[in-house]
Every structure is written in structure tokens, then in C-alpha cells.
Amino acid sequence: MPVDQHAPAAPGVASTAGHPHEAGRTADHATDPAELLRARGLRVTAPRLAVLGAVADLPHADAEAVLRRAREALPTVSVQAVYDVLHALTDVGILRRIEPAGHPARYERRVGDNHHHVVCRSCGAVDDVDCVIGEAPCLVPSSTSGFTVETAEVTFWGLCPDCRSRATD
């Protein structure tokens, strides 16, 4: 499964050093995973730590990729446990779930800022795109139908550099 190329320096703790989007990263990325779980009212468990580490290592990974990576740290973790942990961590805002059309849900640790994504139509690679406006919502609908708009999700579609170079060969 394609993922972006921004791997952290240490398993389980994402680093922003040298990352092209470091200005958009939140404090959660520098926090010890166990402290982060406790701060959000969650017990520290081996499956939660394994999933957090997997998502930190593989930004924009789908659940299957997270499962494979989590099993490197915790071979006995079940499929159901990984899905339960992904759901729990998303519910408390530790992870963000994105769902590019026609692709499985992906998970990332970059939360709490107003960023968007670019997706390759060919291989499905995903990367972060900082919002030009910088504040939510970055788009204003022509009609809100009475809703209070809080955020707008933008997905840019195109070809990644690898697929673009293969297309021109």
C-alpha cells in the first residue's frame, strides 16, 4: 500500500524535524505515546501503543498496513483490536481518518490543523497539503442550508512524481 515518504525518526513518536509541513504539526506529535493516551482519558495498552507507532511510521496508511506494522511490534495483536484502537484513537482526536473517494480509509497523526491531501489517481499515494488560507473553513459554501460550517475537506487529485514519470516513459 503506498504511503507518503515522511517517516519519523523513532518508532511511535513522529518527528517534525525537516518535514515540509512542520509548521502544521501539532504538539501531540512530540508527546510520549503513553502520556498522549492518558491525557485523552485512555488506558495505555500494548495494542494502542503498537497502533500509534504504526501510524507514526506510516502516515496515511490504511488499516491493513497499520495491522501489518503493528504486528511487527506486537505479533499477537488481532485484526479486531487494531480496528477498535483506530476507532478509539480517532474518536478522541489522536488520529485523523481520511477517506479519499474509491480508496480505503487512511489514518494519520497530523491532527488539529487545517490541512488537506493530494492523492495519486494511479497508485493511491497520499500526501499532506497545507491550507492556503490557514484557518477553517477554508472554503465557504454558496448555501449552508442552516448549518454552521466548521471545516471543509479538500482533496486534490493527480499523478504522483513516480506515476507521472512512468506515464512519460
Side-chain angles (χ1 to χ4, degrees):
M1 174 55 52
V3 294
D4 72 10
Q5 302 299 310
H6 308 300
V13 180
S15 168
T16 60
H19 192 285
H21 310 297
E22 63 186 271
R25 297 287 185 169
T26 62
D28 285 352
H29 287 275
T31 303
D32 173 67
E35 290 176 21
L36 179 59
L37 290 168
R38 286 186 199 101
R40 299 297 174 94
L42 296 176
R43 286 185 8 251
V44 177
T45 65
R48 287 178 178 158
L49 293 174
V51 168
L52 267 175
V55 176
D57 289 347
L58 302 171
H60 307 124
D62 65 16
E64 292 299 316
V66 171
L67 173 65
R68 286 191 302 275
R69 180 58 63 98
R71 282 187 170 161
E72 291 175 15
L74 184 64
T76 59
V77 71
S78 71
V79 172
Q80 188 61 51
V82 168
Y83 277 94
D84 290 347
V85 169
L86 287 169
H87 182 77
L89 297 180
T90 301
D91 280 352
V92 298
I94 293 173
L95 297 182
R96 178 177 176 192
R97 176 185 168 124
I98 62 168
E99 297 182 57
H103 296 271
R106 309 283 185 93
Y107 297 87
E108 65 181 345
R109 294 268 319 265
R110 186 175 175 188
V111 298
D113 70 344
N114 191 38
H115 77 278
H116 307 296
H117 297 94
V118 60
V119 180
C120 180
R121 286 194 183 281
S122 181
C123 70
V126 178
D127 203 358
D128 294 329
V129 176
D130 289 327
C131 180
V132 175
I133 305 295
E135 58 194 46
C138 62
L139 299 173
V140 179
S142 60
S143 170
T144 64
S145 300
F147 285 75
T148 299
V149 177
E150 298 168 345
T151 63
E153 289 189 21
V154 177
T155 303
F156 298 94
W157 294 87
L159 290 177
C160 70
D162 290 341
C163 291
R164 193 174 58 245
S165 88
R166 279 193 294 274
T168 60
D169 288 344

